[in-house]
Amino acid sequence: MKTDELITALSVNVEPVNRRLVNRSLGIALATGIAVAIGMTLVALGLRVDLATPRAVIFLFLKLVFAIGTVGAAAVYLARLARPGGEQRISQGLAALPFVAILLLAAVSLGQAPSSHWDMMVMGDQWLECLISIPIIAIVPFAVVIWAVRQAAPTNLVRAGAFSGLVAGGMSAMGYALHCTDDSLPFVALWYGGTIVLCTLAGAMLGPRLLRW
């Protein structure tokens, strides 16, 4: 068969690509991952007991804004990274904005407090639980997000894996925030932000294996 005949044969009955498929798969993964993260938190750790107080509600809201902002920004990039060559069309600055914002708020909070309070504000009472819980809760959301990305054809597997981990870490933080009673902004910046970064690094390492076509 000549080259022209081969090209003609391959182009026969080619169906148009459904450009919405990637977004639909990611949407399903996000909804499933958030539901799993919340469910695991409530079953394994329980809901924080002080939500009847305005202070607890306000700080829970701040934690959720950080986590939701992280998931939202990362998901936008992940939808692009899932497509061939998508890494050439993104600037990662937006994904860093939630982290920059929480770090600035944490710095302001520390600046307004006596230095004798800084250790408690940073470490809190639940730092170890946070360090362990967020990565563990993120496992199932990460698997679901990886499934969604595999429905497409990412070409930069490290970056796609990293953003999958970032999304999963953010979803896990959303769930864990419903339990955690350490409300100091420096605590949130270090332990929520730090564990989400750990999930991102894990995703970058696992991406080439899990997303290989």
Side-chain angles (χ1 to χ4, degrees):
M1 180 180 291
K2 296 181 179 180
T3 302
D4 291 342
E5 294 174 344
L6 176 60
I7 294 173
T8 301
L10 291 174
S11 62
V12 173
N13 297 325
V14 175
E15 298 181 359
V17 175
N18 185 350
R19 296 181 178 272
R20 297 181 180 179
L21 180 60
V22 174
N23 292 336
R24 186 183 303 123
S25 298
L26 280 177
I28 293 171
L30 290 176
T32 303
I34 291 171
V36 168
I38 292 174
M40 289 180 64
T41 299
L42 296 181
V43 170
L45 300 173
L47 185 67
R48 59 183 297 172
V49 297
D50 60 348
L51 283 180
T53 63
R55 181 185 183 281
V57 173
I58 290 171
F59 279 98
L60 174 59
F61 175 76
L62 290 175
K63 292 176 183 177
L64 290 177
V65 168
F66 168 59
I68 292 170
T70 299
V71 172
V76 170
Y77 289 127
L78 187 58
R80 299 176 186 175
L81 285 168
R83 298 178 174 89
E87 68 277 359
Q88 300 175 6
R89 298 183 290 113
I90 70 169
S91 171
Q92 301 176 53
L94 179 62
L97 285 181
F99 294 90
V100 173
I102 196 65
L103 285 172
L104 289 176
L105 290 174
V108 170
S109 179
L110 287 173
Q112 294 177 340
S115 58
S116 58
H117 293 182
W118 288 3
D119 285 347
M120 186 61 189
M121 292 174 69
V122 172
M123 301 304 294
D125 295 319
Q126 297 175 290
W127 68 269
L128 182 58
E129 181 186 82
C130 182
L131 179 64
I132 295 172
S133 297
I134 289 180
I136 290 177
I137 294 171
I139 291 174
V140 175
F142 177 71
V144 175
V145 172
I146 287 292
W147 166 83
V149 176
R150 283 180 60 87
Q151 308 306 304
T155 49
N156 190 321
L157 304 187
V158 172
R159 191 175 295 183
F163 273 84
S164 297
L166 181 57
V167 170
M171 290 191 289
S172 177
M174 289 172 60
Y176 182 72
L178 298 174
H179 164 76
C180 179
T181 55
D182 273 322
D183 292 329
S184 166
L185 292 177
F187 178 91
V188 175
L190 177 59
W191 298 107
Y192 281 62
T195 50
I196 292 172
V197 170
L198 288 178
C199 293
T200 304
L201 294 175
M205 291 188 292
L206 294 172
R209 294 184 179 183
L210 300 178
L211 296 174
R212 185 183 297 123
W213 355 322

